Amino acid sequence: MTSNDTTVLRVAGRPVGRYVTRPELPARLSPRPYLHPVTTLAGTAVTELAPADHAHHLGVGVAVPDVEGFNFWGGRTYVRDQGPTELDNHGAQRHIAFQLRDPDGFVEELRWVSAGGELLRERRTVAATELTGRAWALDLTFSLTNVTGNPLSIGSPATNGRPGAAYGGFFWRARKEPCAPEVFTAAADGEEKVHGHPADWLALRGATWTLVFAGATERTRRDPWFVRTEEYPGVGSSLAYDERVPVPPGETVVRRVVTVVADGRLDRDAAASLVRKAVSP
């Protein structure tokens, strides 16, 4: 079922994700649409919303810590030579309309607004596809267009002086369990070896579930992965890893990430096989 504020994604008739378009959130959390809960086909939740450790982590969505100095991530802002700092600089993503809305996906238009007005206009496309009886894929594309008359740039705490903290862009806050999830790519294992490196795909494996993230365009695959497992379970594709991303007036930044959501603990071969099926033309 859908309402003006919520859309439920379905795969083979089963609900697998709830998309909230107009959340009632304090400004400090950088209010924005999000997917939560997202579940496996068996019904296991694989997202968290506003957990105690990071209240601004909102399931699955798009969040950027620095758009020309405005915080669209939530929480504190990393200030060079000062550290994480509470600033009154939070922006918000505002749902305008759905261009398309079906049980298995939607196309949405959003405004990224700050105290200075609208900075970016986003077109977000989300699609849910069945892969097997135990796995489905969430395909998310976001296109950010500079609608101001001035150059903009997108940054991260890493570009502002905090090494390794290149979060921002697509981000998935995963389910927290008693034991930290395992993380691996085709060539490496563990947070230390996969964080900050590009890889065609990256798997996060929990107690009874596996998420496999894949950049679905050549440009997206060049972005390194941001990974946390011990502190909290989360995976993102780093939009601004080691330098700011310029967005001239009228220009657009596009990224596409496909995530396999599977029941069970997948090994490398199974993860790679499902990614090939999910990302194939």
Side-chain angles (χ1 to χ4, degrees):
M1 299 296 290
T2 61
S3 70
N4 195 39
D5 298 315
T6 302
T7 292
V8 176
L9 288 178
R10 296 181 183 275
V11 170
R14 284 180 276 189
V16 293
R18 178 174 176 264
Y19 188 68
V20 180
T21 58
R22 297 184 181 92
E24 295 184 2
L25 295 168
R28 185 182 180 274
L29 301 187
S30 297
R32 57 196 183 271
Y34 59 81
L35 277 158
H36 175 81
V38 176
T39 70
T40 67
L41 290 175
T44 300
V46 289
T47 54
E48 283 204 9
L49 180 70
D53 54 56
H54 290 79
H56 49 278
H57 287 182
L58 307 177
V60 181
V62 182
V64 176
D66 181 353
V67 179
E68 208 60 33
F70 291 98
N71 182 341
F72 289 86
W73 175 270
R76 296 179 294 176
T77 296
Y78 188 86
V79 178
R80 189 180 296 274
D81 301 323
Q82 187 173 325
T85 306
E86 288 287 352
L87 297 177
D88 184 18
N89 67 337
H90 295 90
Q93 297 172 20
R94 295 181 180 167
H95 168 86
I96 300 174
F98 286 111
Q99 276 77 47
L100 172 72
R101 184 161 58 166
D102 289 323
D104 61 352
F106 57 84
V107 179
E108 179 188 21
E109 187 175 7
L110 305 104
R111 300 170 64 229
W112 289 46
V113 298
S114 67
E118 183 177 2
L119 300 178
L120 299 166
R121 183 70 59 90
E122 181 188 350
R123 181 181 176 89
R124 184 175 303 180
T125 303
V126 172
T129 307
E130 184 178 22
L131 299 175
T132 70
R134 292 172 56 82
W136 65 280
L138 180 73
D139 190 335
L140 189 152
T141 301
F142 64 91
S143 304
L144 301 173
T145 301
N146 178 354
V147 294
T148 75
N150 302 306
L152 296 177
S153 67
I154 293 171
S156 67
T159 65
N160 294 336
R162 185 182 176 189
Y167 50 84
F170 169 86
F171 183 71
W172 189 302
R173 173 57 198 252
R175 174 180 181 171
K176 197 166 191 175
E177 299 179 319
C179 295
E182 300 163 298
V183 63
F184 59 91
T185 65
D189 290 275
E191 179 181 330
E192 184 177 344
K193 292 186 178 180
V194 302
H195 172 74
H197 299 282
D200 285 354
W201 58 265
L202 178 148
L204 191 70
R205 185 167 60 193
T208 62
W209 51 268
T210 308
L211 301 173
V212 192
F213 305 89
T217 65
E218 188 276 332
R219 181 62 193 87
T220 308
R221 285 189 287 274
R222 297 208 305 265
D223 291 336
W225 293 105
F226 174 85
V227 182
R228 291 289 184 264
T229 56
E230 297 299 327
E231 180 185 358
Y232 63 82
V235 172
S237 181
S238 296
L239 192 58
Y241 180 71
D242 52 11
E243 58 185 23
R244 299 184 70 87
V245 177
V247 192
E251 295 295 305
T252 302
V253 172
V254 182
R255 297 292 189 273
R256 178 184 171 208
V257 177
V258 175
T259 307
V260 174
V261 181
D263 284 296
R265 292 169 50 81
L266 302 182
D267 60 18
R268 272 192 173 84
D269 288 344
S273 176
L274 285 171
V275 164
R276 284 193 296 270
K277 187 172 184 179
V279 181
S280 62

